[in-house]
Amino acid sequence: MSGLGVSFDDPVLEARILAGVDEVERQLAAAVDSPEAFVAEAAAHLLNAGGKRFRPLVVALCAEFGDPAAPGVVPSAVVVELTHLATLYHDDVMDEADKRRGALSANARWDNTLAILVGDYLFAQASDIVSTLGPEAVRIQARTFSRLVRGQIRETIGPGDGDPLQHYLGVVADKTGSLIATSARFGAMMSAAPVEVEHALTEFGERIGAAFQLRDDIIDVASETGESGKTPGTDLREGVPTLPVLLVQQMSAGSTDPAEVRLLDLLGRPLTDDAEHAEALEALRRHPAMDEARSYVQSEADAARRLLEKLPDVPARAALAALCDTVATRLG
């Protein structure tokens, strides 16, 4: 198991992927730099806080189905990670978050206006790099950005009269699945993999991207303090409905059981009271909806794995299959 969170049976592949991700890291540092000291500091704030670099990993693995040393592979990985980082700055403003990756969020360290502007700066840097990769890459990036924004808008306005669970799954697809799908597509496209491989990998990225986010929903409820590096129940405290909560609301709707009625009441509002928050977290952990949520994430990861059967049997295919297991069961 590498530090990237994926198993490699082939040491040559592992060395090549690690070297590629290291080069992405170097180019990311260069991309966020600026002659203005403050801009450089603020733009590097979340970059320096760390992160899984999941999207560059997907780019690198998918590039293995063509020429992984092709000149566009690393820059395209930088593009998707810069885009991801930019969305984090904007998300923290919208969520009024105080922490990100264990550090002060940019909006908490400075203010909302600066955090938004730094996010815009990172989007601009990503756009500058993708412009060197050709018009098709620019088009893909623009359409991905459109999906990211539409997902955020849909999340902000809520489901309306629609089904809350289906609405949420659509938001996850747009806000997370879209960029990981583009990561897979860029890896295949930049390495000149066959078109049918590119299509299969794009669909794989969409599936594994959704599973990646939905697993985060489970971790937010199930992890103990310090186990995942995150504070358990953050979404509960903020009244953000995620997969386990929505499943409880679906499964327990109309119940007259006092415990179910109490849990539905707690889950229907932000939980700023520590005692109520602890009560809801404990009840949610015991609820059958948690197993239902785990089963759903596993089914998404399994669907992603089945897509790999269409691909040539190269070492990266086994690594991507292992990635499905990691995404479905990770603790942080």
Side-chain angles (χ1 to χ4, degrees):
M1 183 71 71
S2 81
L4 296 172
V6 60
S7 296
F8 289 96
D9 295 329
D10 186 324
V12 175
L13 173 64
E14 180 175 15
R16 189 161 57 241
I17 296 297
L18 288 171
V21 174
D22 284 346
E23 179 59 18
V24 170
E25 201 71 27
R26 189 190 69 77
Q27 292 193 24
L28 277 170
V32 303
D33 201 7
S34 169
E36 292 81 20
F38 176 79
V39 174
E41 178 189 3
H45 179 64
L46 289 184
L47 179 65
N48 294 337
K52 299 177 183 68
R53 303 293 185 257
F54 184 73
R55 292 153 190 82
L57 171 64
V58 170
V59 174
L61 285 171
C62 293
E64 289 289 325
F65 293 89
D67 175 10
V73 172
V74 169
S76 70
V78 173
V79 166
V80 293
E81 190 65 9
L82 283 174
T83 302
H84 172 58
L85 286 169
T87 66
L88 298 185
Y89 281 83
H90 288 177
D91 282 352
D92 285 346
V93 171
M94 299 194 70
D95 298 341
E96 299 179 346
D98 294 325
K99 291 284 185 74
R100 168 71 70 175
R101 295 176 175 173
L104 276 176
S105 62
N107 48 301
R109 181 169 175 180
W110 294 291
D111 61 31
N112 284 346
T113 300
L114 283 171
I116 291 169
L117 290 171
V118 171
D120 292 346
Y121 173 72
L122 294 176
F123 277 127
Q125 294 299 90
S127 298
D128 183 49
I129 295 169
V130 81
S131 71
T132 69
L133 301 176
E136 179 65 4
V138 172
R139 184 184 69 82
I140 292 168
Q141 173 71 356
R143 292 187 175 182
T144 304
F145 190 24
S146 175
R147 281 190 67 188
L148 290 169
V149 175
R150 290 202 312 273
Q152 186 62 66
I153 292 170
R154 292 174 66 203
E155 182 179 64
T156 302
I157 64 175
D161 295 330
D163 178 83
L165 179 57
Q166 291 307 311
H167 172 267
Y168 178 69
L169 294 175
V171 168
V172 167
D174 283 343
K175 286 191 62 178
T176 303
S178 65
L179 189 55
I180 294 174
T182 293
S183 302
R185 187 175 185 181
F186 273 169
M189 188 174 82
M190 295 302 160
S191 67
V195 172
E196 62 273 16
V197 170
E198 180 186 326
H199 290 165
L201 286 170
T202 302
E203 189 177 350
F204 168 85
E206 186 86 27
R207 288 280 194 172
I208 205 65
F212 186 83
Q213 177 57 53
L214 295 172
R215 182 65 191 177
D216 262 358
D217 293 355
I218 296 169
I219 292 167
D220 184 65
V221 174
S223 66
E224 298 295 339
T225 301
E227 184 179 52
S228 67
K230 302 176 182 178
T231 303
T234 299
D235 293 326
L236 275 182
R237 189 175 293 281
E238 296 172 355
V240 176
T242 58
L243 182 63
V245 169
L246 290 165
L247 286 171
V248 168
Q249 292 171 337
Q250 186 180 78
M251 295 166 70
S252 301
S255 174
T256 57
D257 181 272
E260 295 283 307
V261 172
R262 171 62 175 166
L263 181 56
L264 286 173
D265 172 59
L266 291 169
L267 297 181
R269 52 188 166 85
L271 296 172
T272 55
D273 179 81
D274 287 345
E276 286 192 335
H277 178 265
E279 179 188 352
L281 192 59
E282 184 58 34
L284 186 52
R285 286 170 173 171
R286 295 194 307 265
H287 199 281
M290 288 299 289
D291 285 337
E292 188 73 16
R294 291 185 182 98
S295 294
Y296 186 86
V297 172
Q298 187 64 60
S299 70
E300 285 294 292
D302 290 344
R305 186 186 292 102
R306 286 193 295 273
L307 289 165
L308 299 175
E309 295 171 5
K310 304 177 182 180
L311 302 177
D313 189 11
V314 299
R317 192 175 82 170
L320 287 172
L323 188 63
C324 294
D325 296 328
T326 299
V327 166
T329 60
R330 67 191 175 91
L331 299 175

